[in-house]
Amino acid sequence: MQQAMYRTDERPRGNLAVSTAGLTKRFGDRTVVDDLALAIPAGSVCGFVGPNGAGKTTTIRMLLGLVRPTSGSGTILGGSIAEPATYLNKVGALIESPAFYPQLSGRENLKALARLGQLPLSAVDPVLDRSGLLARAGDKYRSYSLGMKQRLGIAAAMLASPKLLILDEPTNGLDPGGIVEMRGLIRSFAGDGITVLVSSHLISEIEQICDYVVMIRAGRLVHQGAVSALRAAQQPDFIIAPERDSDLPLLTQLLQEAGCAVTQRPAETAVLVETSGFSAADLNRLAARGGITLRQLAESTRSLERAFFALTGTASADVPTGQEMGAIK
């Protein structure tokens, strides 16, 4: 597959919520994050993806002041990464599974957190309402579904009215209905001007939620930029079907001889064709030279997932699917 051509070092114009230079973390002889330069626009929903062991969780922990960088610099909401106290009061985070008292209600749990953080108790009901939990606020946490627990964790992260919200695997383990609800909730934060950094192993979710994406591999940046620009840089695939089903083997042979990768579509007399710069007209002429008339020639835009595999040099088998719940770290 031909990789898209673009620069990974172009920094977006305008205000940045997160900016780092040379951010590096070593544990002994092992370099987990290597010379990472992030540039995340303020007000964006940014996806943070990478294959297993890419260094995402370590990066997030450095941004939150939980892990000290070995070297490098950066600013978060205008405060230096070397002094997390200058910005952490403007950052909310849901990292891994939220921890709450099972015997307390959702409202009581948030009130306890508000007291610990010296935040006004008046902030509790608005964040419960925003997360869709106000009607169940009096129920004990142990009675909550997984989706409700995730939303309560986001409500807790919103108590301080943050300008930056960091969510690690927010859709992990949710059923399809819960995933749709979570998407809407995350997008609504961006509508309020909050920058959201979403780490996820479900690349299809990143594509539907985010407008900006950061991809890393082995602790190094391989791409960052607008999702729309990444899609635009990808050459399209084509779905092709001959008018006569019996022509499919010959059509496949002609396409492969021309350097195209051809995949048979299950239970269909059509093929998915990955080209290397061919246009629809080129493919039509190729079929015509073989005496084949096409009944279908449709462009199929490559997904963010396909771009991710090409950029990181991984196969789809290296990255969990929607059915695999192990988080990429």
Side-chain angles (χ1 to χ4, degrees):
M1 183 181 350
Q2 183 176 357
Q3 293 190 14
M5 299 300 295
Y6 46 74
R7 293 174 59 190
T8 59
D9 58 350
E10 288 187 355
R11 299 173 76 84
R13 296 178 180 179
N15 188 30
L16 297 178
V18 178
S19 177
T20 68
L23 190 64
T24 300
K25 181 61 184 178
R26 298 186 185 92
F27 294 101
D29 295 333
R30 188 165 61 99
T31 301
V32 179
V33 178
D34 190 4
D35 195 30
L36 196 59
L38 300 177
I40 301 175
S44 66
V45 179
C46 176
F48 191 31
V49 296
N52 194 28
K56 298 197 317 299
T57 296
T58 300
T59 300
I60 287 174
R61 291 184 180 279
M62 285 192 286
L63 299 182
L64 292 173
L66 300 174
V67 172
R68 185 184 297 275
T70 302
S71 61
S73 61
T75 58
I76 312 294
L77 301 174
S80 171
I81 198 171
E83 301 179 62
T86 61
Y87 60 81
L88 284 181
N89 63 333
K90 296 179 286 186
V91 178
L94 172 62
I95 306 299
E96 298 178 345
S97 299
F100 294 103
Y101 296 104
Q103 72 275 17
L104 298 182
S105 69
R107 180 181 285 114
E108 290 167 339
N109 268 289
L110 292 192
K111 283 184 175 180
L113 290 174
R115 291 188 185 99
L116 285 172
Q118 298 182 328
L119 300 171
L121 296 183
S122 59
V124 170
D125 275 13
V127 297
L128 284 167
D129 188 28
R130 181 66 180 275
S131 60
L133 288 175
L134 191 58
R136 298 286 304 275
D139 295 353
K140 294 187 184 300
Y141 176 76
R142 66 187 176 208
S143 71
Y144 282 6
S145 67
L146 179 57
M148 293 170 66
K149 290 176 179 177
Q150 288 289 85
R151 281 185 278 151
L152 187 65
I154 291 179
M158 292 297 295
L159 277 172
S161 300
K163 298 298 182 184
L164 171 65
L165 186 60
I166 298 178
L167 306 177
D168 190 14
E169 304 286 347
T171 61
N172 199 9
L174 299 186
D175 60 27
I179 289 174
V180 171
E181 291 177 359
M182 187 63 71
R183 283 181 201 153
L185 182 59
I186 292 171
R187 289 300 317 174
S188 74
F189 295 137
D192 291 343
I194 300 170
T195 306
V196 186
L197 178 62
V198 184
S199 171
S200 178
H201 69 284
L202 299 178
I203 303 171
S204 59
E205 282 305 303
I206 292 294
E207 187 165 19
Q208 297 192 55
I209 295 173
C210 300
D211 47 46
Y212 197 82
V213 65
V214 172
M215 296 180 178
I216 65 173
R217 182 173 188 260
R220 297 186 65 88
L221 180 73
V222 294
H223 175 78
Q224 67 179 334
V227 170
S228 58
L230 183 56
R231 286 201 195 101
Q234 297 296 302
Q235 296 221 8
D237 296 336
F238 292 91
I239 299 171
I240 303 178
E243 184 177 42
R244 295 190 301 269
D245 295 348
S246 58
D247 285 336
L248 188 60
L250 176 58
L251 177 62
T252 298
Q253 179 183 342
L254 292 172
L255 291 167
Q256 290 174 334
E257 289 174 351
C260 300
V262 182
T263 304
Q264 176 76 47
R265 295 174 65 83
E268 293 185 25
T269 54
V271 290
L272 178 67
V273 180
E274 298 176 40
T275 71
S276 297
F278 288 96
S279 67
D282 293 331
L283 296 173
N284 193 35
R285 282 191 289 269
L286 180 65
R289 284 198 296 269
I292 299 172
T293 301
L294 301 179
R295 63 173 171 82
Q296 182 181 13
L297 177 53
E299 186 174 305
S300 175
T301 304
R302 289 180 180 169
S303 67
L304 184 64
E305 188 173 68
R306 295 279 297 282
F308 170 82
F309 296 146
L311 285 164
T312 60
T314 59
S316 58
D318 298 327
V319 180
T321 66
Q323 286 71 42
E324 295 172 349
M325 293 296 107
I328 289 176
K329 298 300 183 184

